[in-house]
Amino acid sequence: MRKIGKNIPNLPIHAKVPTLITRRSSKLFNEAKKYMPGGVNSPVRAFKSVKRAPLFISKAKGQYLYDVDGNKFIDYIGSWGPMILGHAHPAVISAIKKAAANGTSFGAPIPYEVEMVKLVTKMMPSVEVVRMVNSGTEATMSAVRVARAFTNREKIVKFAGCYHGHFDSFLIKAGSGATTFGTPDSPGVPKDLAAKTLVAEFNDTTSVEKLFRDNANEIAAIIVEPVVGNMGVVIPEGDFLHKLLEVAHTNGTLLILDEVMTGFRLARGGAQELYGIKPDLTTFGKIIGAGLPVGAYGGREDIMRMVSPDGPVYQAGTLSGNPLAMAAGIAQLKILDKRKSLYKQLEKTGKLLEEGIAENLRKLGLDYKFNRVGSMFTLFFTNENVRDFKSALTSDTAKFAAYFGEMLKRGIYLPPSQFEAAFISAAHTERDIEKTVAANYESLKVLK
Ligand code: HOZ
């Protein structure tokens, strides 16, 4: 693969920056705002922090998104992670069609569920027993309930800037949309419950050890995103994750890896395979449903047998194990399981992008930080190394907002927040990366 970046100013594709026509999107957004908070069903997608109206998407195929005004974009959100094979992958679409023809929900056991859990436990060996749910939030809140019951303790440790969905216990120094909108501690969370969530600093084991000293025999679980995606991408340093496991087990505490973003994305066996770590429980979402609403939690058999009806911990759901979601997820996971070259390809594409952007920054004399693990990345608008929440917050979010707009004009659709990860899919080509690197150069140049 050739190196990108050397001749970028001469690339013809950005000689003229087209004006983005968004008339239809704007009309829809004005209507939407009358009926939905912020006009959306999930805050970050309102584009508020990048100071413009969101685009309404009409279709997606492979690495491309098309909006209702006919604009085409190279997509680096990928529905916030699940579209690892690209949008509307033929195997996934045909599996959904086949399942739908037989009915969309039964609220009863189906063969697909058995196939799904066998695949998950095979690809991620720390997961011996698994329960399917409908979202990542459901997965993390249920995993914490099980951990509390198993240890007979109530407190949990999370990390500043990590986001584990919108359950009350996690909206304390939460990343993602909570940080994007300046509400890392949400009103509406009961104080008594918030007091049970202890907050440590990512990549800082001493902050974890201190919490354990101050709360001896009270901590049920440590929950962590092994590679953080929700303050932008933040990478675990050295033996940080192993140290967490050691501290947890020394204190009779469980380690929950939140692999909602990283599971089946950073490696066939997720971040736990990449970093060689065996957690007690793992939570999933996103990829496991190939874009349909799915989550799951699972882990050690002795812990998971606490879940009803094997055990006393109650958790249920009419749509859990839904046939369409199972069929889609199975189709995608089967490809991830079999296509050995896929993760190498994603790494190669990610590296190409990283090198191109590094070259741009060098040429423009900028010292912004680019964090990447495999197919997840973030360009932080700060000169500080981003290794925790504090350093992530040094980013110039106004500059990021302007950069986002410049990239959008040039046909590149990035997450509309400094505090979100961007995702590469197997459908992204070398040419897409060339265009992205060229757009990055031009956008950064305009902002200088
Ligand atoms: N904050 C979510 C991702 N970390 C955004 C989800 C969405 O808006 O769809």
Side-chain angles (χ1 to χ4, degrees):
M1 205 178 252
R2 76 200 132 102
K3 209 167 170 216
I4 291 177
K6 289 248 178 314
N7 301 314
I8 276 161
N10 303 326
L11 280 176
I13 50 173
H14 294 295
K16 239 165 97 191
V17 183
T19 322
L20 206 56
I21 295 169
T22 57
R23 200 176 47 82
R24 289 199 170 120
S25 276
S26 302
K27 193 164 173 259
L28 281 165
F29 190 47
N30 286 335
E31 264 187 281
K33 279 191 287 189
K34 289 187 212 153
Y35 305 103
M36 290 183 271
V40 289
N41 284 311
S42 190
V44 178
R45 65 177 76 158
F47 278 25
K48 215 169 168 179
S49 72
V50 289
K51 298 176 181 28
R52 55 178 304 139
L55 304 178
F56 280 66
I57 304 303
S58 56
K59 66 171 183 178
K61 179 77 191 151
Q63 67 277 49
Y64 300 121
L65 276 187
Y66 302 82
D67 72 8
V68 290
D69 288 283
N71 300 304
K72 177 183 176 185
F73 302 94
I74 301 175
D75 177 27
Y76 287 99
I77 297 185
S79 188
W80 304 93
M83 313 322 300
I84 190 167
L85 299 175
H87 292 280
H89 189 279
V92 174
I93 300 304
S94 105
I96 295 171
K97 281 186 180 161
K98 194 173 153 209
N102 290 324
T104 53
S105 177
F106 316 117
I110 54 170
Y112 282 131
E113 292 172 291
V114 185
E115 199 179 349
M116 169 62 95
V117 295
K118 279 167 91 174
L119 253 176
V120 170
T121 52
K122 176 185 152 204
M123 291 170 79
M124 219 162 284
S126 79
V127 179
E128 295 165 351
V129 174
V130 58
R131 166 63 59 88
M132 303 305 301
V133 291
N134 299 291
S135 70
T137 295
E138 252 192 78
T140 51
M141 70 182 221
S142 309
V144 161
R145 185 181 302 143
V146 177
R148 283 177 163 149
F150 186 79
T151 56
N152 203 16
R153 298 173 179 180
E154 292 193 346
K155 292 186 179 169
I156 58 166
V157 170
K158 79 174 279 287
F159 293 87
C162 279
Y163 178 77
H164 306 286
H166 59 85
F167 175 49
D168 287 350
S169 291
F170 301 130
L171 291 178
I172 323 286
K173 290 234 175 140
S176 187
T179 292
T180 306
F181 295 110
T183 48
D185 305 300
S186 174
V189 172
K191 281 197 177 53
D192 292 351
L193 192 58
K196 309 262 183 221
T197 301
L198 312 171
V199 181
E201 299 304 320
F202 196 76
N203 275 326
D204 177 2
T205 38
T206 54
S207 72
V208 181
E209 284 160 345
K210 183 172 181 332
L211 290 177
F212 274 86
R213 272 197 307 278
D214 296 348
N215 299 272
N217 302 318
E218 288 187 276
I219 300 172
I222 300 177
I223 184 163
V224 66
E225 297 179 73
V227 170
V228 187
N230 284 298
M231 43 179 147
V233 172
V234 178
I235 304 166
E237 292 169 358
D239 64 351
F240 176 65
L241 295 175
H242 290 92
K243 201 79 190 147
L244 291 186
L245 188 66
E246 189 189 309
V247 174
H249 286 183
T250 310
N251 290 282
T253 298
L254 303 182
L255 179 68
I256 306 173
L257 285 194
D258 180 348
E259 293 233 42
V260 167
M261 278 190 188
T262 55
F264 310 106
R265 170 166 280 279
L266 296 187
R268 180 178 164 277
Q272 52 195 269
E273 178 186 308
L274 195 66
Y275 294 97
I277 186 151
K278 196 173 175 212
D280 301 298
L281 293 171
T282 305
T283 56
F284 305 101
K286 318 249 185 205
I287 280 181
I288 209 167
L292 272 80
V294 184
Y297 64 103
R300 270 170 46 191
E301 171 153 20
D302 57 334
I303 303 169
M304 286 303 292
R305 293 288 175 210
M306 296 284 293
V307 179
S308 183
D310 273 348
V313 178
Y314 199 70
Q315 182 273 309
T318 297
L319 293 171
S320 299
N322 172 269
L324 269 60
M326 293 300 99
I330 290 166
Q332 178 152 282
L333 284 184
K334 272 186 177 165
I335 294 173
L336 301 180
D337 185 29
K338 288 209 186 88
R339 204 189 293 166
K340 299 270 182 281
S341 59
L342 190 116
Y343 294 98
K344 280 200 187 119
Q345 181 201 330
L346 288 171
E347 170 59 27
K348 207 166 159 188
T349 314
K351 190 156 179 271
L352 199 65
L353 180 68
E354 181 172 349
E355 286 171 356
I357 290 181
E359 179 78 6
N360 288 350
L361 292 172
R362 199 191 52 72
K363 276 198 221 144
L364 293 164
L366 295 168
D367 193 22
Y368 297 151
K369 304 300 176 196
F370 187 82
N371 282 2
R372 177 184 73 87
V373 180
S375 55
M376 289 171 67
F377 70 88
T378 302
L379 175 62
F380 287 99
F381 283 74
T382 175
N383 297 343
E384 270 193 42
N385 285 329
V386 178
R387 54 183 301 274
D388 55 16
F389 194 40
K390 210 167 123 236
S391 43
L393 290 178
T394 63
S395 304
D396 183 341
T397 51
K399 199 145 243 182
F400 172 85
Y403 171 73
F404 173 87
E406 290 298 326
M407 289 295 272
L408 200 66
K409 273 197 280 184
R410 291 170 172 81
I412 312 296
Y413 191 83
L414 292 169
S417 163
Q418 176 71 94
F419 307 112
E420 297 283 358
F423 298 92
I424 296 168
S425 79
H428 287 86
T429 63
E430 212 174 300
R431 181 71 187 134
D432 295 319
I433 300 300
E434 271 181 28
K435 285 185 184 170
T436 308
V437 170
N440 168 271
Y441 181 87
E442 295 298 335
S443 300
L444 291 176
K445 202 167 114 186
V446 170
L447 299 178
K448 261 194 95 179

